[in-house]
Amino acid sequence: MKILVTGGTGYIGSHTVVELQNKGFEVVIVDNLSNSSIKIVDNISKITGIRPLLEVFDLTDREKTADFFKRNNDLKGVIHFAAFKAVGESVEYPLKYYRNNLVSLVNILESMGNNEVQNIVFSSSCTVYGEPDELPVSEQAPIKKAESPYGNTKQISEEIIGDTINTSDIHGIALRYFNPIGAHESALIGELPLGIPNNLVPFITQTAIGIREQLKVFGNDYPTRDGTPIRDYIHVVDLAKAHVIAVDRMINNKMKKALEVFNLGTGKGYSVLEVIKSFEKVSRQKLNYKIVDRRAGDVIEVWADPTFSNHELGWKAEKGLDEMVLTAWNWEKALLNKINE
Ligand code: UD1
């Protein structure tokens, strides 16, 4: 059972490769290493005892993508993670985002069609819901106009997959992630932000370890319980496991329609200050932070209704906030030890 994982050396991709291998799937990774390290492949094999195959090229290259699929016509499915994901950068360089995130998807779908590869799992995001009218957010909630080119690429990608499915034998599952955090319990793989992190938890752990001086909390005047925004943080291993279930569902013809959409969240929301408190508790140290102005484009609060995923996939996020934050902290400390080695 061979599965292509695009972006398989990245944050969510690497954790998913581990879970796929744990369940006996053969994995081939395609990655251009633009935001990840080739060393992750060694670390994946340290965890699972199996070295995944890796091909390094850019999926926006139509010829190379076509050639890869021709050589790998025994693929049972594709999990497509490879994409740019920095919201702010996408506002500054929209065409970079549209080209990278959309052209690669078009190339993959085209090659899937030409080689009778029928199953694709797509990395989508809760960003498609914008500022939701009702909480928790179910899959039926309306799609709001995207706040950023990044968010728009997720919406358009879901549409591209939908349109392709209508005219081919391809099946798709779009997984809408809430806020993935944490790292593998081995501390061998985790999030590796290039440069200054955009996301909350890597910024917290980098501040605590001394790489950053101070965390800026973007606004405490939101209409929430403590004034800071609320998100549904989900452990990356819980998220990874849902991908394996989605692949299995496709291969074993358990889908109810050709395009299915699932929310991947815990159903619980935590504020920025609650995440900081959790970090201070599990790390037993105070975090240097200050409240600053709001960040443009942030939604006030969003958390998932995971009922449909829980029932249909037989999947449930298991890890709580403290455990998520602790694994992120252990990963940050492991990175520091590596540098000092
Ligand atoms: C954003 C995107 C999401 C995308 C994800 C990946 C939106 C609404 N969401 O998630 O689609 O998949 O990035 O990059 O665009 N915060 C601070 N200080 C910091 C960093 C963050 O206070 O230094 C706060 C933010 O204001 C927010 C919360 O922490 O309230 C979470 O932020 P972040 O981790 O960046 O995730 P989202 O913005 O929710």
Side-chain angles (χ1 to χ4, degrees), residues 99-288:
R99 185 189 310 280
N100 186 65
N101 293 6
L102 301 181
V103 174
S104 57
L105 176 66
V106 170
N107 289 343
I108 289 167
L109 289 169
E110 181 182 58
S111 281
M112 285 175 67
N114 290 340
N115 294 281
E116 286 164 36
V117 181
Q118 288 180 349
N119 304 311
I120 182 165
V121 177
F122 176 68
S123 277
S124 192
S125 167
C126 71
T127 196
V128 302
Y129 301 120
E131 184 79 62
D133 303 322
E134 275 175 43
L135 287 164
V137 194
S138 82
E139 291 82 354
Q140 270 68 53
I143 302 293
K144 296 278 179 69
K145 184 175 164 25
E147 288 271 359
S148 69
Y150 157 77
N152 208 17
T153 67
K154 293 298 174 192
Q155 296 189 2
I156 298 170
S157 293
E158 286 194 12
E159 288 174 6
I160 291 174
I161 295 170
D163 292 343
T164 309
I165 281 170
N166 287 338
T167 58
S168 69
D169 296 331
I170 293 175
H171 295 78
I173 293 185
L175 299 176
R176 293 180 179 157
Y177 312 151
F178 283 66
N179 284 57
I181 62 167
H184 194 263
E185 58 175 7
S186 65
L188 284 163
I189 55 173
E191 196 167 1
L192 262 181
L194 260 193
I196 302 170
N198 292 301
N199 298 113
L200 178 64
V201 170
F203 209 107
I204 289 177
T205 56
Q206 287 198 3
T207 303
I209 209 118
I211 302 173
R212 310 281 153 212
E213 204 181 315
Q214 187 176 49
L215 169 79
K216 295 186 180 78
V217 172
F218 297 131
N220 69 346
D221 57 351
Y222 286 94
T224 61
R225 51 185 174 260
D226 63 19
T228 62
I230 292 177
R231 298 286 184 274
D232 185 336
Y233 296 94
I234 174 167
H235 195 278
V236 65
V237 173
D238 280 330
L239 200 69
K241 287 179 176 164
H243 291 74
V244 183
I245 294 171
V247 162
D248 178 76
R249 180 178 176 90
M250 297 182 118
I251 293 174
N252 293 307
N253 300 318
K254 288 188 261 180
M255 293 177 72
K256 306 246 164 89
K257 44 185 187 162
L259 175 60
E260 294 183 325
V261 175
F262 296 104
N263 279 344
L264 296 185
T266 65
K268 275 204 194 93
Y270 290 100
S271 74
V272 174
L273 292 177
E274 286 163 353
V275 176
I276 293 173
K277 274 195 203 100
S278 164
F279 176 80
E280 291 184 329
K281 185 171 116 194
V282 301
S283 70
R284 299 197 203 93
Q285 68 182 75
K286 284 269 161 230
L287 186 77
N288 182 14

Side-chain angles (χ1 to χ4, degrees), residues 136-139 263 265 267 304-315:
V137 194
S138 82
E139 291 82 354
N263 279 344
D305 177 350
T307 315
F308 184 63
S309 306
N310 295 164
H311 286 166
E312 271 304 310
L313 299 176
W315 164 91

